[in-house]
Amino acid sequence: IEKESGTGGKVQAFVLGSKAYLIADNIAPGNARAVFLHEVGAHLGIDNLLTKAQYDNLIRKLLAWADKNDGSQESRLARRAVERAGQARTPDVDLHSEVLAYFVEEAVKAGIDPTALKYSSEIGRWFSELIRALKRALAKLQMFTAPDLTPQDVVDLAYGAAKLELEAPLAE
């Protein structure tokens, strides 16, 4: 696939239907986990598991961080996510989904490990809210009922979803 991204670079990954496609040759060394979590964790996971109210709350927080522009880590990452979504010429209908996905990608690239965050930080509280929303969504779907779902569990779920996709028989 030689499709160009909105920024002039090659597309690293995309979601088509219910499958994520990562193009290894287009992903810079060290960025695979971030790109994977952008596509599978955000687009296929978060976008489909949260209620509209939960999702809108997370988006409002991200946009508030971007507007804050105070040099804090959360503000820098949110501003970068908004910038990247704009550079990619993201259609308005997909803008919030892309901002969220780029935020997750930028956070991972910046070395943020959700399991190591203290929930007293802005980003820690955001991830904490995400974890609570995922717990509620998974419990509602009766997929997972453990009360102590951790950020690492979310990462594991994303990896598990990717593994299932990789092991699924190819459609003819």
Side-chain angles (χ1 to χ4, degrees):
I1 292 180
E2 292 294 321
K3 182 179 175 188
E4 297 289 321
S5 72
T7 60
K10 292 185 178 174
V11 171
Q12 300 177 94
F14 59 93
V15 170
L16 184 61
S18 62
K19 293 190 185 270
Y21 298 87
L22 279 69
I23 306 162
D25 288 345
N26 294 353
I27 300 172
N31 287 348
R33 181 177 184 211
V35 172
F36 173 85
L37 289 176
H38 171 123
E39 299 299 340
V40 177
H43 289 312
L44 293 179
I46 295 169
D47 282 2
N48 295 317
L49 283 176
L50 301 183
T51 66
K52 180 169 176 17
Q54 293 166 334
Y55 185 84
D56 289 348
N57 195 33
L58 291 174
I59 293 298
R60 270 192 303 278
K61 183 53 123 173
L62 284 179
L63 296 177
W65 286 342
D67 288 343
K68 189 165 66 167
N69 194 20
D70 66 353
S72 64
Q73 185 177 39
E74 61 273 8
S75 180
R76 287 192 316 271
L77 293 171
R79 290 179 66 76
R80 180 71 180 128
V82 169
E83 177 184 308
R84 287 189 65 195
Q87 288 172 343
R89 296 187 219 127
T90 304
D92 287 346
V93 68
D94 298 325
L95 190 59
H96 288 162
S97 176
E98 278 305 319
V99 168
L100 175 63
Y102 279 127
F103 180 83
V104 169
E105 181 178 341
E106 290 296 323
V108 171
K109 284 168 52 177
I112 292 176
D113 177 359
T115 62
L117 291 173
K118 294 191 182 344
Y119 293 128
S120 58
S121 71
E122 280 289 314
I123 292 177
R125 285 190 294 275
W126 187 86
F127 272 107
S128 177
E129 184 176 340
L130 172 60
I131 297 306
R132 285 192 307 273
L134 286 172
K135 280 184 190 180
R136 289 189 297 269
L138 292 171
K140 184 176 181 181
L141 295 172
Q142 297 178 342
M143 292 175 60
F144 195 88
T145 58
D148 6 301
L149 183 69
T150 66
Q152 185 62 54
D153 294 329
V154 176
V155 172
D156 293 344
L157 285 169
Y159 279 115
K163 188 174 184 330
L164 287 174
E165 286 295 324
L166 292 173
E167 293 175 352
L170 293 175
E172 295 293 322

